[in-house]
Every structure is written in structure tokens, then in C-alpha cells.
């Protein structure tokens, strides 16, 4: 990034999102998008949005809240007519609660375009300068601070450029009859400009449903198909767990650097927009973010989590801990805990009862809210813990807020000893590609040894998965993937364009000033 822009870098809040787009030949698509969003609700609980297209007219609705609450009446759903549409769910982050920043986003020129995005663009400051300079086809006005709106406007600007080039060729190129080719041309140019992670679905009037993925394939995007009497129908979603309830079958992942167009008559056309793409998926998708019934990049999330349990059981066996039973921290650690229990021959027990009507503490907007939420979220059963030496298994320990409270609860439930095992390595570095764990000061593992972390968490023993074992499990499930995006564990960013200045901007972001240091506690009612 040019030095003149370093001082202008403002962190665009990353968010784990869920996106879906559906094309069908006949009938309204709204109910199926709704069902798909329900299956992707784990990827975001802050807002939900949907847009459909009927007879050349877009119909949009979005609001803050869960999917079932946003689309909670027939009047709203009845308005969302059309045989093609897309939807989005977003998780909450401080400073971005406004419904104005809920997706999908829209620009009216060229043609009329909607877009939903999962990921994080890391050069938004540079792109904003481009969009508001003479280099842009138009000086574009941005209504929000969202990187997704920047992305949409960059794509729209490049379609304008492609349209202008076509018009200048005279009779050899009629823009009206070459809209799809103009979109592909713009896709090539857009991917040259964007940095970071992006899986996107767009609707463009007169063209169709568009899906594309960044050249590293960091965030997931999966293509599904179902047959009808009128021909193939298509679905694109963040995870293929969205396909089952609406009758689609997984076809494949959208390739890194690929753009897919599903035309208005249902034809699928694909084009590679870069020549040097490589699959480097975010490994945290498999550890925590995605549902276990999803298959991403030809890797089963469930089998990956079982593999983590197998690797971790070997380290636990060597620890010499006297363990009476294995207890998962619900829900994501269950596969690993079950595998550890089976391989060590120890009883598996459900000792922590989860209140399913409280959101995930990992994605709550501030530290105090997360900490006060823990007691509402989980309850420790004395019937399981009283007088026992227990092994608690979690999928990851990020800030340590939840885990330190859980250890305290388990001790109060009568546990004699509390050992901890994390199915993933210590999180020590910011994730800049769309997961809300942005600063080093928030990680419990920052500048601490495992023994020091153990003391902070209040446990009798602590084991983390090793980075080598983590990557070995992943590569055993798909040997064709040579590199995984594991920067939060290793500090290496696969795009190789994350500067120290950018990372420093994360540490000084305005929205993080009031956050508590990782591991610190607040007063809770016992």
C-alpha cells in the first residue's frame, strides 16, 4: 500500500457472514432463500437481508435480528416475489449495528446490481481513493463504512469501464448484446484491484446471478444443483449444509479466482478471472465457524474435527493426567471430545448444559457483554463434576473469557481437578480476512507460555493442539491443498500483502478502545 495511505487506514470491521443465492425456473424463490438462511444462521445473528428479482424489478427487505424475526410475517414474504434472489446473515460487531450496513448492498448503475459478501477487503482505504478520484468512471458516493459496499462499487465501476471500451469499438461490440462478457471482463479487472478475502454473490439486471471467490479461496463458497421439469436449478451458498432442506445437491466448490454467471434462462457459464489462483482456505472455518455437516473444499468439517481429537489424544496420553471423564464445551468441541474419549478409553459426559437462546459469546461485540453472558449460556452439573478430575475439551481458546468462567463454574460444581485441552493451537495473531478476532491484546495467549496461560485460566493442566498436527489433519483430508490460511496461529498471511502498518491500525481501531484485556474478569453474580 502506498505510504501516503498508511495514515488513512481505518479498519473495516470484519464479519463472519453467511450468503446464499438461488435460481429456479418457475415460482417464487423467497421461501427457499429463507430456509437456506436459517441453515446459515450460525454464521451471523445480527441482521438478515433478502432481495429477489421479478420482471426486471428488484424487491428488497433487510433488518437487524435473526432470520425468523426479520422475515416473521406473510406480508413481508409475499412482497419478495421472483424466481431468482439472494440472502445474507451477518454477525454483530461494535459500531456496525445500523441496519444501513446490513446486506445486500445496491447500486443503480450500471444495469442495477445487488451484492452480498463474506470476508474482508484489506485495501479499502486505497480503493476509496480510487472510487472518489478522476481514475474512477464516476466519483462514487459511499453511504457506509462497509468494505462490502466498496467491493460492490469497484465491480460496478469496472463494468462501466468495460461498457465504455465496448462502445468505442463501434459495430464490432454492442454492449446490449454482450452484457455477460462485460461482467466477466470486469471480474478480471476487479480481482486485480481487490486485496483480502471475498466470497460474493451478486444479481445484475439483464445478466443473472453472479458468484465469485478471491484468488486464494480463503472464505468458502459452494455450488449446488437440483433438477426440475424445466431444467437444472442452481444454488450458491457459504456452506452446503444449506442445500439439504431445499433439495439441492452439492456439485463443487466455486474455485478460487472463478466467476460463475447463471443466466436469466438458467444456463451456467464459468470463467477464471486470474491465472495464478491457489486454494488456501481459512482453517478456522473447520475449527469453529462452519457447521459439522458441511463439506468445504472437498473436506468434511466433521471428519476434520474428529482428526483433531485423534491428534490431541496422543498428547493427552503422554501428559500423565489422572482423568475420570471427558466433557466437551458445547457445541463445536463435541466431535473432538468424542474421539478423545474413544481413543483414551475414558467416559464421555455432557456436564455443561447450554442455554440455546443466548448468542455465541465469541461474536458478541464487547468483552463485558461476553463475560456477563457466560453464566446465562452454560450451567455446570454437579452430578457430572462432583469429586471428579475432568478433562474439558474446547475447539479453541481465543480471548479466554469464556473458558476462565467455565473453569470457575466447574470447580463450584464440585470438580476435584480441571484439565483443559484445546483442539486448536494458541491464537496469537490477528485475523484480517473476516473473523472478528482482530487485535493481539485481546488474545489470552499473547506473550504468554502455556503454563502462564494455564494460570490465567485457573486450570490444573492445559494442552493445545500443535500447529503441525493441525495442518497434518487438514492435508490428510485433501492432499491437493498445499497451504491453509492459518495466520491467527502462525502470523503468516497467505496474501503476503499485510503490512505492519495495517496490523498496527487494528490495534488502534476506535471500536476496540473500550475492550477489556483478554482473561480479565468482571464481577459476576455467583
Amino acid at each position: 500500500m502506498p505510504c501516503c495511505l498508511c495514515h488513512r487506514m481505518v479498519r473495516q470491521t470484519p464479519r463472519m457472514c453467511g450468503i446464499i443465492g438461488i435460481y429456479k425456473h418457475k415460482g417464487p424463490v423467497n421461501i427457499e432463500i429463507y430456509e437456506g438462511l436459517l441453515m446459515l444462521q450460525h454464521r451471523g445473528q445480527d441482521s438478515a437481508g433478502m432481495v429477489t428479482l421479478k420482471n426486471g424489478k428488484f424487491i428488497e427487505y433487510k433488518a437487524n435480528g435473526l432470520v425468523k424475526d426479520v422475515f416473521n410475517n406473510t406480508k413481508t414474504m409475499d412482497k419478495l416475489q421472483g424466481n431468482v434472489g439472494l440472502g445474507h446473515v451477518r454477525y454483530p460487531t461494535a459500531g456496525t449495528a445500523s441496519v444501513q450496513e446490513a446486506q445486500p448492498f445496491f447500486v443503480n448503475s450500471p444495469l442495477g446490481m445487488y451484492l452480498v459478501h463474506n470476508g474482508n477487503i484489506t485495501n479499502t482505504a486505497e480503493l476509496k481513493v480510487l472510487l472518489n478520484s478522476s481514475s474512477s468512471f464516476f466519483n462514487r458516493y459511499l453511504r457506509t463504512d462497509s468494505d462490502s459496499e466498496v467491493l460492490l462499487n469497484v465491480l460496478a465501476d469496472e463494468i462501466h469501464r468495460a461498457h465504455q471500451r465496448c462502445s468505442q469499438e463501434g459495430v464490432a461490440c454492442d454492449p446490449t448484446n454482450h452484457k455477460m462478457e462485460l461482467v466477466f471482463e470486469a471480474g478480471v479487472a476487479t480481482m486485480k484491484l481487490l486485496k483480502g478475502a471475498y466470497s460474493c454473490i451478486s444479481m445484475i439486471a439483464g445478466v443473472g446471478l453472479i458468484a465469485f471467490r478471491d484468488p486464494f479461496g480463503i472464505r468458502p463458497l459452494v455450488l449446488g444443483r437440483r433438477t426440475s421439469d424445466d431444467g437444472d436449478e442452481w444454488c450458491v451458498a457459504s456452506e452446503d449444509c444449506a442445500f439439504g432442506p431445499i433439495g439441492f445437491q452439492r456439485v463443487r466448490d466455486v474455485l478460487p479466482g472463478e466467476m460463475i454467471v447463471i443466466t436469466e434462462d438458467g444456463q451456467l457459464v464459468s470463467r477464471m478471472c486470474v491465472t495464478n489462483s491457489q486454494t488456501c482456505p481459512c482453517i478456522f472455518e473447520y475449527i469453529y465457524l462452519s457447521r459439522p455437516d458441511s463439506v468445504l473444499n472437498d473436506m468434511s468439517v466433521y471428519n476434520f474435527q474428529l482428526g483433531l481429537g485423534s491428534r490431541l489424544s496422543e498428547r493427552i496420553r503422554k501428559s500423565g493426567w489422572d482423568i475420570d471423564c471427558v466433557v466437551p464445551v458445547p457445541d463445536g468441541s463435541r466431535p473432538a471430545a468424542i474421539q478423545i474419549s474413544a481413543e483414551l478409553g475414558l467416559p464421555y459426559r455432557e456436564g455443561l448444559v447450554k442455554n440455546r437462546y443466548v448468542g455465541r459469546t465469541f461474536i458478541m461485540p464487547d468483552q463485558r457483554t461476553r463475560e456477563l453472558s457466560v453464566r446465562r449460556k452454560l450451567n455446570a452439573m454437579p452430578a457430572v463434576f462432583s469429586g471428579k478430575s475432568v478433562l474439558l475439551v474446547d475447539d479453541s481458546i481465543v480471548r479466554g473469557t469464556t473458558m476462565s468462567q467455565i473453569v470457575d463454574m466447574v470447580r463450584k460444581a464440585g470438580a476435584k481437578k480441571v484439565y483443559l485441552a484445546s483442539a486448536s493451537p494458541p491464537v496469537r495473531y490477528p485475523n484480517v480476512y473476516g473473523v472478528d478476532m482482530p487485535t493481539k491484546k485481546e488474545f489470552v495467549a499473547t506473550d504468554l507460555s502455556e503454563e502462564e496461560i494455564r494460570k490465567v485460566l485457573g486450570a490444573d493442566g492445559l494442552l493445545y493442539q500443535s500447529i503441525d498436527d493441525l495442518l497434518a489433519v487438514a492435508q490428510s483430508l485433501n492432499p491437493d491443498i498445499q497451504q491453509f490460511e492459518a495466520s491467527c496461529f502462525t502470523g503468516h498471511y497467505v496474501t503476503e500483502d499485510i503490512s505492519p502498518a495495517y496490523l498496527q491500525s487494528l490495534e488502534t481501531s476506535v471500536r476496540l478502545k473500550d475492550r477489556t484485556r483478554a482473561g480479565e474478569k468482571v464481577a459476576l453474580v455467583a
Side-chain angles (χ1 to χ4, degrees):
M1 184 178 294
C3 292
C4 62
L5 293 174
C6 291
H7 71 284
R8 302 183 60 176
M9 289 189 297
V10 177
R11 176 63 169 12
Q12 302 305 318
T13 305
R15 50 187 69 94
M16 179 181 74
C17 299
I19 61 176
I20 186 170
I22 299 176
Y23 169 90
K24 59 190 293 187
H25 288 282
K26 294 179 180 177
V29 77
N30 54 356
I31 297 299
E32 288 157 305
I33 294 176
Y34 173 84
E35 292 292 337
L37 289 177
L38 287 176
M39 297 297 287
L40 298 172
Q41 185 75 88
H42 61 286
R43 299 187 70 88
Q45 295 91 46
D46 181 43
S47 66
M50 186 189 306
V51 61
T52 57
L53 180 65
K54 182 179 182 180
N55 298 327
K57 180 180 179 181
F58 289 115
I59 308 103
E60 171 199 348
Y61 188 80
K62 60 184 179 180
N64 288 339
L66 300 174
V67 174
K68 68 179 180 63
D69 298 321
V70 171
F71 305 103
N72 63 351
N73 61 71
T74 55
K75 183 178 179 181
T76 298
M77 293 298 286
D78 287 347
K79 290 180 179 178
L80 293 162
Q81 295 297 304
N83 68 314
V84 59
L86 50 82
H88 183 273
V89 290
R90 182 188 67 165
Y91 78 26
T93 46
T96 61
S98 170
V99 70
Q100 190 176 23
E101 296 207 1
Q103 297 186 41
F105 283 111
F106 173 73
V107 292
N108 68 347
S109 179
L111 303 174
M113 300 172 57
Y114 271 92
L115 179 136
V116 290
H117 163 225
N118 176 33
N120 186 51
I121 305 303
T122 59
N123 64 330
T124 51
E126 182 180 350
L127 294 173
K128 284 182 178 181
V129 171
L130 174 67
L131 291 171
N132 287 283
S133 71
S134 58
S135 299
S136 174
F137 195 87
F138 294 117
N139 284 346
R140 292 187 170 270
Y141 177 78
L142 301 175
R143 300 175 63 215
T144 73
D145 289 327
S146 172
D147 60 324
S148 303
E149 189 185 14
V150 172
L151 191 161
L152 171 60
N153 278 272
V154 169
L155 177 61
D157 204 58
E158 291 304 327
I159 294 176
H160 270 298
R161 293 175 189 274
H163 183 281
Q164 185 182 44
R165 285 190 292 268
C166 179
S167 298
Q168 291 172 347
E169 293 180 18
V171 294
C173 183
D174 180 2
T176 304
N177 296 323
H178 291 81
K179 292 178 182 177
M180 183 171 65
E181 290 302 318
L182 301 183
V183 171
F184 280 130
E185 185 179 334
V188 173
T190 298
M191 289 192 189
K192 289 179 180 178
L193 291 171
L194 299 178
K195 296 179 181 179
Y198 50 93
S199 287
C200 302
I201 309 172
S202 177
M203 277 202 306
I204 304 179
V207 179
L209 193 68
I210 320 298
F212 58 98
R213 194 175 178 201
D214 72 74
F216 294 89
I218 296 172
R219 300 260 76 83
L221 197 61
V222 190
L223 176 68
R225 175 178 56 204
R226 71 182 179 196
T227 57
S228 74
D229 293 341
D230 299 295
D232 287 338
E233 299 180 333
W234 302 97
C235 180
V236 186
S238 295
E239 299 180 40
D240 59 2
C241 66
F243 294 163
I246 51 180
F248 285 88
Q249 300 293 321
R250 173 189 171 86
V251 176
R252 62 178 178 85
D253 297 279
V254 176
L255 298 175
E258 180 184 22
M259 176 175 278
I260 291 173
V261 173
I262 299 166
T263 65
E264 293 181 307
D265 61 354
Q267 300 301 308
L268 187 145
V269 184
S270 169
R271 188 78 51 84
M272 290 301 298
C273 293
V274 298
T275 57
N276 57 343
S277 65
Q278 55 180 310
T279 304
C280 303
C282 174
I283 206 160
F284 215 70
E285 288 280 353
Y286 301 89
I287 295 168
Y288 182 87
L289 304 181
S290 299
R291 281 177 44 142
D293 51 340
S294 290
V295 176
L296 308 175
N297 305 291
D298 295 321
M299 293 170 52
S300 162
V301 175
Y302 184 73
N303 287 341
F304 176 85
Q305 293 173 355
L306 289 179
L308 295 183
S310 292
R311 294 279 179 157
L312 197 52
S313 65
E314 293 301 314
R315 301 194 66 200
I316 295 169
R317 182 179 285 113
K318 295 175 182 178
S319 71
W321 293 343
D322 182 18
I323 301 168
D324 294 316
C325 62
V326 178
V327 177
V329 176
D331 288 310
S333 64
R334 281 198 177 99
I338 289 171
Q339 193 68 13
I340 289 169
S341 169
E343 298 208 7
L344 297 182
L346 294 170
Y348 173 88
R349 296 290 183 266
E350 292 280 352
L352 295 168
V353 180
K354 184 176 181 180
N355 181 348
R356 301 189 181 279
Y357 302 97
V358 177
R360 300 165 89 180
T361 59
F362 173 87
I363 59 177
M364 288 184 174
D366 62 77
Q367 188 84 336
R368 182 177 177 82
T369 302
R370 282 189 294 270
E371 293 179 342
L372 293 174
S373 161
V374 173
R375 294 292 177 92
R376 299 194 304 268
K377 178 181 177 182
L378 294 172
N379 192 38
M381 290 195 292
V384 171
F385 294 116
S386 183
K388 300 290 180 61
S389 295
V390 298
L391 173 66
L392 297 181
V393 180
D394 206 354
D395 48 24
S396 57
I397 302 173
V398 182
R399 296 174 174 93
T401 304
T402 300
M403 183 54 72
S404 61
Q405 299 297 327
I406 290 173
V407 171
D408 184 56
M409 283 192 293
V410 170
R411 290 200 188 279
K412 288 180 178 178
K416 184 170 60 177
K417 288 188 176 181
V418 182
Y419 300 108
L420 301 180
S422 171
S424 60
V427 175
R428 299 186 185 276
Y429 303 94
N431 182 294
V432 301
Y433 299 124
V435 183
D436 186 30
M437 51 163 87
T439 72
K440 292 182 70 174
K441 68 181 181 182
E442 292 184 276
F443 304 141
V444 69
T446 297
D447 299 325
L448 298 181
S449 66
E450 284 195 17
E451 175 60 18
E452 290 169 328
I453 300 168
R454 179 195 67 77
K455 291 178 181 179
V456 170
L457 298 178
D460 295 292
L462 171 66
L463 280 177
Y464 281 98
Q465 188 83 257
S466 72
I467 294 174
D468 288 344
D469 282 345
L470 176 77
L471 297 176
V473 170
Q475 288 172 336
S476 71
L477 294 173
N478 189 342
D480 292 333
I481 298 178
Q482 300 300 310
Q483 184 179 11
F484 287 84
E485 204 303 296
S487 57
C488 57
F489 306 122
T490 65
H492 175 256
Y493 297 93
V494 295
T495 57
E496 297 187 348
D497 55 14
I498 303 301
S499 68
Y502 182 84
L503 293 176
Q504 181 59 35
S505 75
L506 307 188
E507 301 294 328
T508 57
S509 173
V510 172
R511 77 182 187 89
L512 299 170
K513 287 183 178 180
D514 296 329
R515 286 191 172 180
T516 309
R517 172 64 169 88
E520 290 184 8
K521 297 182 181 180
V522 297
L524 297 174
V525 177

Short mmCIF file of all heavy atoms in Angstrom, two decimals, residues 427-452:
data_model
loop_
_atom_site.label_atom_id
_atom_site.label_comp_id
_atom_site.label_asym_id
_atom_site.label_seq_id
_atom_site.Cartn_x
_atom_site.Cartn_y
_atom_site.Cartn_z
N VAL A 427 -4.17 -18.99 19.78
CA VAL A 427 -4.41 -17.88 18.85
C VAL A 427 -3.55 -16.71 19.31
O VAL A 427 -3.75 -16.17 20.40
CB VAL A 427 -5.89 -17.49 18.83
CG1 VAL A 427 -6.10 -16.26 17.94
CG2 VAL A 427 -6.74 -18.65 18.34
N ARG A 428 -2.60 -16.31 18.47
CA ARG A 428 -1.63 -15.29 18.87
C ARG A 428 -1.59 -14.09 17.92
O ARG A 428 -0.92 -13.09 18.22
CB ARG A 428 -0.23 -15.90 18.96
CG ARG A 428 -0.12 -17.02 20.00
CD ARG A 428 1.32 -17.47 20.14
NE ARG A 428 1.47 -18.62 21.02
CZ ARG A 428 1.57 -18.55 22.34
NH1 ARG A 428 1.52 -17.38 22.93
NH2 ARG A 428 1.71 -19.64 23.07
N TYR A 429 -2.24 -14.18 16.77
CA TYR A 429 -2.12 -13.12 15.76
C TYR A 429 -3.50 -12.72 15.24
O TYR A 429 -4.43 -13.52 15.26
CB TYR A 429 -1.24 -13.61 14.59
CG TYR A 429 0.13 -14.05 15.02
CD1 TYR A 429 0.39 -15.39 15.30
CD2 TYR A 429 1.16 -13.12 15.16
CE1 TYR A 429 1.65 -15.80 15.71
CE2 TYR A 429 2.42 -13.53 15.57
CZ TYR A 429 2.66 -14.87 15.84
OH TYR A 429 3.91 -15.27 16.25
N PRO A 430 -3.64 -11.49 14.75
CA PRO A 430 -4.93 -11.03 14.23
C PRO A 430 -5.35 -11.81 12.98
O PRO A 430 -4.51 -12.22 12.18
CB PRO A 430 -4.68 -9.56 13.88
CG PRO A 430 -3.43 -9.18 14.60
CD PRO A 430 -2.62 -10.43 14.71
N ASN A 431 -6.64 -12.00 12.84
CA ASN A 431 -7.19 -12.50 11.58
C ASN A 431 -7.71 -11.29 10.81
O ASN A 431 -8.54 -10.54 11.33
CB ASN A 431 -8.31 -13.50 11.83
CG ASN A 431 -8.88 -14.07 10.54
OD1 ASN A 431 -9.48 -13.36 9.75
ND2 ASN A 431 -8.68 -15.36 10.33
N VAL A 432 -7.24 -11.11 9.60
CA VAL A 432 -7.62 -9.92 8.82
C VAL A 432 -8.56 -10.27 7.67
O VAL A 432 -8.89 -9.41 6.87
CB VAL A 432 -6.37 -9.20 8.26
CG1 VAL A 432 -5.45 -8.78 9.39
CG2 VAL A 432 -5.63 -10.08 7.25
N TYR A 433 -8.97 -11.53 7.61
CA TYR A 433 -9.74 -12.00 6.45
C TYR A 433 -11.21 -12.26 6.74
O TYR A 433 -11.86 -13.01 6.03
CB TYR A 433 -9.08 -13.26 5.88
CG TYR A 433 -7.66 -13.05 5.40
CD1 TYR A 433 -6.62 -13.83 5.92
CD2 TYR A 433 -7.36 -12.10 4.45
CE1 TYR A 433 -5.31 -13.65 5.48
CE2 TYR A 433 -6.06 -11.91 4.00
CZ TYR A 433 -5.03 -12.70 4.53
OH TYR A 433 -3.74 -12.52 4.08
N GLY A 434 -11.73 -11.66 7.82
CA GLY A 434 -13.17 -11.74 8.01
C GLY A 434 -13.64 -12.43 9.26
O GLY A 434 -14.81 -12.80 9.36
N VAL A 435 -12.76 -12.64 10.24
CA VAL A 435 -13.16 -13.21 11.52
C VAL A 435 -12.88 -12.16 12.60
O VAL A 435 -11.80 -11.58 12.64
CB VAL A 435 -12.38 -14.51 11.85
CG1 VAL A 435 -12.87 -15.11 13.17
CG2 VAL A 435 -12.55 -15.51 10.72
N ASP A 436 -13.83 -11.94 13.49
CA ASP A 436 -13.72 -10.85 14.45
C ASP A 436 -12.85 -11.23 15.64
O ASP A 436 -13.32 -11.47 16.74
CB ASP A 436 -15.11 -10.43 14.93
CG ASP A 436 -15.05 -9.21 15.83
OD1 ASP A 436 -14.15 -8.38 15.62
OD2 ASP A 436 -15.89 -9.08 16.72
N MET A 437 -11.56 -11.33 15.38
CA MET A 437 -10.58 -11.52 16.46
C MET A 437 -9.39 -10.64 16.14
O MET A 437 -8.29 -11.12 15.88
CB MET A 437 -10.17 -12.99 16.58
CG MET A 437 -9.73 -13.62 15.29
SD MET A 437 -8.80 -15.14 15.54
CE MET A 437 -10.11 -16.31 15.61
N PRO A 438 -9.56 -9.34 16.13
CA PRO A 438 -8.62 -8.50 15.40
C PRO A 438 -7.34 -8.08 16.08
O PRO A 438 -6.41 -7.70 15.39
CB PRO A 438 -9.46 -7.27 15.07
CG PRO A 438 -10.46 -7.19 16.17
CD PRO A 438 -10.72 -8.59 16.61
N THR A 439 -7.24 -8.05 17.42
CA THR A 439 -6.03 -7.47 18.00
C THR A 439 -5.32 -8.44 18.93
O THR A 439 -5.95 -9.22 19.63
CB THR A 439 -6.34 -6.19 18.79
OG1 THR A 439 -7.01 -6.54 20.00
CG2 THR A 439 -7.21 -5.25 17.99
N LYS A 440 -4.01 -8.33 18.94
CA LYS A 440 -3.20 -9.22 19.77
C LYS A 440 -3.49 -9.03 21.26
O LYS A 440 -3.42 -9.98 22.04
CB LYS A 440 -1.71 -8.98 19.50
CG LYS A 440 -1.27 -9.42 18.11
CD LYS A 440 0.22 -9.19 17.90
CE LYS A 440 1.04 -10.15 18.74
NZ LYS A 440 2.48 -10.04 18.45
N LYS A 441 -3.82 -7.81 21.67
CA LYS A 441 -4.03 -7.56 23.09
C LYS A 441 -5.26 -8.29 23.62
O LYS A 441 -5.41 -8.44 24.84
CB LYS A 441 -4.16 -6.06 23.36
CG LYS A 441 -5.41 -5.42 22.80
CD LYS A 441 -5.44 -3.93 23.10
CE LYS A 441 -6.70 -3.27 22.57
NZ LYS A 441 -6.70 -1.82 22.81
N GLU A 442 -6.13 -8.75 22.72
CA GLU A 442 -7.34 -9.45 23.16
C GLU A 442 -7.12 -10.95 23.36
O GLU A 442 -7.97 -11.62 23.93
CB GLU A 442 -8.44 -9.25 22.13
CG GLU A 442 -8.95 -7.83 22.05
CD GLU A 442 -10.11 -7.72 21.09
OE1 GLU A 442 -9.85 -7.59 19.89
OE2 GLU A 442 -11.25 -7.78 21.55
N PHE A 443 -6.00 -11.48 22.88
CA PHE A 443 -5.79 -12.92 22.97
C PHE A 443 -5.18 -13.30 24.30
O PHE A 443 -4.18 -12.71 24.72
CB PHE A 443 -4.87 -13.40 21.84
CG PHE A 443 -5.35 -13.03 20.46
CD1 PHE A 443 -4.46 -12.64 19.50
CD2 PHE A 443 -6.70 -13.08 20.15
CE1 PHE A 443 -4.89 -12.29 18.23
CE2 PHE A 443 -7.14 -12.73 18.89
CZ PHE A 443 -6.24 -12.34 17.92
N VAL A 444 -5.72 -14.33 24.93
CA VAL A 444 -5.18 -14.77 26.20
C VAL A 444 -3.76 -15.30 26.03
O VAL A 444 -2.95 -15.29 26.97
CB VAL A 444 -6.11 -15.82 26.84
CG1 VAL A 444 -6.09 -17.13 26.06
CG2 VAL A 444 -5.74 -16.07 28.30
N ALA A 445 -3.43 -15.79 24.83
CA ALA A 445 -2.12 -16.39 24.59
C ALA A 445 -1.03 -15.39 24.26
O ALA A 445 0.15 -15.76 24.16
CB ALA A 445 -2.22 -17.42 23.46
N THR A 446 -1.39 -14.11 24.09
CA THR A 446 -0.39 -13.12 23.69
C THR A 446 0.73 -13.00 24.73
O THR A 446 0.48 -12.72 25.91
CB THR A 446 -1.05 -11.74 23.50
OG1 THR A 446 -1.99 -11.83 22.43
CG2 THR A 446 -0.01 -10.68 23.16
N ASP A 447 1.95 -13.23 24.28
CA ASP A 447 3.17 -13.07 25.09
C ASP A 447 3.20 -13.98 26.32
O ASP A 447 3.95 -13.73 27.27
CB ASP A 447 3.33 -11.61 25.55
CG ASP A 447 3.45 -10.65 24.39
OD1 ASP A 447 4.04 -11.05 23.37
OD2 ASP A 447 2.94 -9.52 24.49
N LEU A 448 2.39 -15.04 26.34
CA LEU A 448 2.37 -15.95 27.48
C LEU A 448 2.74 -17.37 27.04
O LEU A 448 2.41 -17.79 25.93
CB LEU A 448 0.98 -15.98 28.13
CG LEU A 448 0.43 -14.69 28.73
CD1 LEU A 448 -0.94 -14.94 29.34
CD2 LEU A 448 1.38 -14.11 29.77
N SER A 449 3.41 -18.09 27.93
CA SER A 449 3.67 -19.51 27.70
C SER A 449 2.41 -20.30 28.04
O SER A 449 1.47 -19.77 28.65
CB SER A 449 4.82 -19.97 28.59
OG SER A 449 4.43 -19.91 29.96
N GLU A 450 2.38 -21.59 27.69
CA GLU A 450 1.23 -22.42 28.03
C GLU A 450 1.03 -22.48 29.54
O GLU A 450 -0.11 -22.47 30.03
CB GLU A 450 1.37 -23.82 27.45
CG GLU A 450 1.12 -23.90 25.96
CD GLU A 450 0.91 -25.31 25.46
OE1 GLU A 450 0.64 -26.22 26.29
OE2 GLU A 450 1.01 -25.53 24.24
N GLU A 451 2.11 -22.54 30.29
CA GLU A 451 1.99 -22.58 31.75
C GLU A 451 1.40 -21.28 32.29
O GLU A 451 0.55 -21.30 33.21
CB GLU A 451 3.37 -22.83 32.37
CG GLU A 451 3.41 -22.77 33.90
CD GLU A 451 2.51 -23.79 34.58
OE1 GLU A 451 2.10 -24.78 33.92
OE2 GLU A 451 2.21 -23.62 35.77
N GLU A 452 1.80 -20.17 31.71
CA GLU A 452 1.24 -18.89 32.14
C GLU A 452 -0.24 -18.77 31.76
O GLU A 452 -1.04 -18.23 32.53
CB GLU A 452 2.05 -17.74 31.54
CG GLU A 452 3.45 -17.62 32.12
CD GLU A 452 4.32 -16.66 31.35
OE1 GLU A 452 4.16 -16.55 30.11
OE2 GLU A 452 5.18 -16.00 31.99
#
